[in-house]
Amino acid sequence: MNKPFKTLDDLGDIRGKKALVRVDLNVPMVDGAVSDDTRIRAALPTIQELTDRGAIVLLLSHFGRPTGGKNPQMSLSLITSALERVLGRGVMFIPECAGEGAAAGVAMLAPGDVAVLENTRFEPGEETNDPTLIASMAAIGDFYVNDAFSAAHRAHASTAGLARALPAYAGRAMERELDALDAALGNPERPVAAVVGGAKVSSKLDVLRHLVVKVDHLIIGGGMANTFLAARGVDVGQSLCEHDLTGTAELILDAADRANCTVHLPYDVVVATAFAANPASLRTVNVHEVAADEMILDIGPAATEALADVLKTCRTLVWNGPLGAFETPPFDTATVALARTAAALTREGSLVSVAGGGDTVSALNHASVEPDFTFVSTAGGAFLEWMEGKQLPGVAALRS
Ligand code: ADP
Ligand code: MG
């Protein structure tokens, strides 16, 4: 398949060539040790393939948010041993990411070796995408590979600048993510459904505006559904609701109408007078029967079943945001049920399902469906900006 960006398949003989590989090693730490190595494992296929092919692999990444230069607590030397464990081989640490100091370290490496360079954000030019820094990084490598989709929404030297200074390729994780996102919203099989949930409309206005012109069915759940219900004249009682945004919600509904996008709001909901696990006041009611002292904490079983029927007619699903306050039982019920429907349809081959977002990933894990979805993005901010239809600088730089 012809892709709008180059991949590792487009590299010729790279034996002895120096690959500057942007990965995301910004892993969480507890007591000085890596507490979740998911991101390191994500980089493994690209690193392995490049070393197998005899390249010298130079890993670039940011780590934390250092302000004002070097900070030993945010040195990538702290993750070298975790990297060695995941890769099952030795990794050299080079205490610079650019310039002569870095070049001296690189000169000690042999074909097939791996080194991790110091935190790119120790360089003031990283976040300003400074041409001098880009040139001094580019000088230590022969080509550039970007495997960090999660950092692609930043126009930084190591995420975007380098791609224009050296021959640039998408790594395997980046390639997989871009393919999945393209199948979900770029060039999807129709009909397409989007599930948008979560707490607030205000955090996802741009997502909603973009989706109404992209998808055939927009399913709105979570706290943000309350604002839409209020816009339609429903009394949502004590529910989380942004009353000042009901006008905006109406505009989004109008835009959906014009674009032939069917918006699905719940018609039954699960309510309680107190937000607690399995509260005594729990009720399932029609949206028009929410009492003044109640709050909506999940969508109801009839709505969930209707949404499952919608998904059965669709070929593509993109999902961001849980349908209810899923961290507290039983308000996880609708999210878990709809996620399982999507997982089953994906397994049967009738649905391409792509999801992302911090809490969404937790909710899908909680429903044990993550492995059945076509693709679950852990990219956070970059995923959301993609859902908003924004050009990600790191991706754009690979395409040109
Ligand atoms: P993501 O991180 O996947 O983008 P969000 O951060 O937008 O998702 O939203 C997730 C949060 O929304 C969860 O903490 C969940 O408890 C909350 N939420 C969902 N439905 C409701 C509701 N009806 N009332 C209050 N909070 C809700
Ligand atoms: Mg969140």
Side-chain angles (χ1 to χ4, degrees):
M1 198 179 87
N2 232 340
K3 302 192 180 189
F5 49 87
K6 292 204 194 87
T7 72
L8 303 190
D9 295 329
D10 297 299
L11 281 165
D13 179 12
I14 52 172
R15 209 186 143 68
K17 293 257 168 45
K18 288 162 287 191
L20 278 167
V21 185
R22 179 55 158 98
V23 288
D24 184 353
L25 301 178
N26 188 30
V27 290
M29 306 283 284
V30 175
D31 298 330
V34 174
S35 59
D36 179 350
D37 65 4
T38 309
R39 285 177 163 166
I40 300 179
R41 284 184 284 112
L44 189 61
T46 293
I47 297 171
Q48 207 123 51
E49 179 169 346
L50 291 170
T51 54
D52 285 351
R53 292 169 67 178
I56 296 165
V57 173
L58 309 172
L59 300 175
L60 290 170
S61 178
H62 72 288
F63 186 38
R65 289 174 187 265
T67 42
K70 303 203 173 206
N71 175 341
Q73 271 156 2
M74 295 177 198
S75 168
L76 277 172
S77 62
L78 298 174
I79 67 112
T80 311
S81 59
L83 197 56
E84 289 183 323
R85 212 167 33 247
V86 172
L87 291 179
R89 54 172 301 154
V91 173
M92 181 176 165
F93 173 70
I94 298 178
E96 304 278 343
C97 69
E100 277 165 31
V106 173
M108 293 159 61
L109 298 166
D113 281 352
V114 180
V116 58
L117 279 53
E118 186 55 289
N119 191 346
T120 53
R121 288 194 185 162
F122 285 0
E123 295 293 331
E126 163 72 341
E127 289 172 70
T128 57
N129 202 10
D130 174 54
T132 313
L133 176 65
I134 293 168
S136 96
M137 274 179 177
I140 59 174
D142 297 308
F143 63 96
Y144 171 72
V145 175
N146 191 345
D147 212 24
F149 177 82
S150 52
H153 56 317
R154 312 280 188 214
H156 292 174
S158 70
T159 60
L162 268 181
R164 303 192 191 276
L166 287 172
Y169 305 83
R172 293 303 182 198
M174 173 72 94
E175 179 184 357
R176 223 183 133 234
E177 181 115 20
L178 293 180
D179 286 350
L181 299 190
D182 191 59
L185 276 187
N187 198 10
E189 278 194 54
R190 294 195 173 269
V192 185
V195 171
V196 183
K200 289 184 172 177
V201 172
S202 53
S203 65
K204 292 186 182 168
L205 278 177
D206 289 335
V207 171
L208 293 164
R209 286 192 189 111
H210 179 59
L211 288 178
V212 292
V213 297
K214 281 275 179 182
V215 305
D216 305 292
H217 295 276
L218 177 62
I219 294 166
I220 302 179
M224 69 168 63
N226 303 335
T227 303
F228 281 88
L229 289 170
R232 289 206 167 155
V234 171
D235 183 350
V236 297
Q238 297 302 307
S239 304
L240 177 67
C241 179
E242 292 168 289
H243 290 282
D244 55 324
L245 284 178
T246 52
T248 308
E250 276 176 64
L251 291 176
I252 290 169
L253 292 172
D254 291 345
D257 232 25
R258 284 196 301 278
N260 270 326
C261 166
T262 309
V263 177
H264 301 266
L265 289 170
Y267 42 82
D268 65 339
V269 286
V270 180
V271 297
T273 54
F275 184 26
N278 306 305
S281 57
L282 193 74
R283 299 202 302 148
T284 298
V285 296
N286 181 284
V287 287
H288 295 289
E289 291 163 358
V290 178
D293 62 344
E294 288 177 323
M295 56 188 138
I296 301 171
L297 291 163
D298 198 10
I299 72 173
T304 309
E305 220 174 285
L307 295 178
D309 287 338
V310 171
L311 293 193
K312 283 173 194 153
T313 69
C314 290
R315 304 285 296 165
T316 304
L317 166 68
V318 48
W319 186 330
N320 170 254
L323 297 174
F326 76 98
E327 300 93 337
T328 311
F331 309 113
D332 57 341
T333 308
T335 304
V336 169
L338 198 66
R340 291 197 174 147
T341 299
L345 293 169
T346 307
R347 273 199 310 271
E348 288 164 18
S350 72
L351 192 71
V352 168
S353 50
V354 173
D359 294 297
T360 309
V361 175
S362 314
L364 296 182
N365 278 330
H366 169 69
S368 316
V369 299
E370 213 243 65
D372 288 326
F373 267 55
T374 310
F375 189 78
V376 176
S377 173
T378 54
F383 180 83
L384 225 60
E385 289 200 20
W386 166 78
M387 288 267 289
E388 293 170 350
K390 294 206 176 115
Q391 280 267 14
L392 309 186
V395 174
L398 286 177
R399 288 181 194 246
S400 50

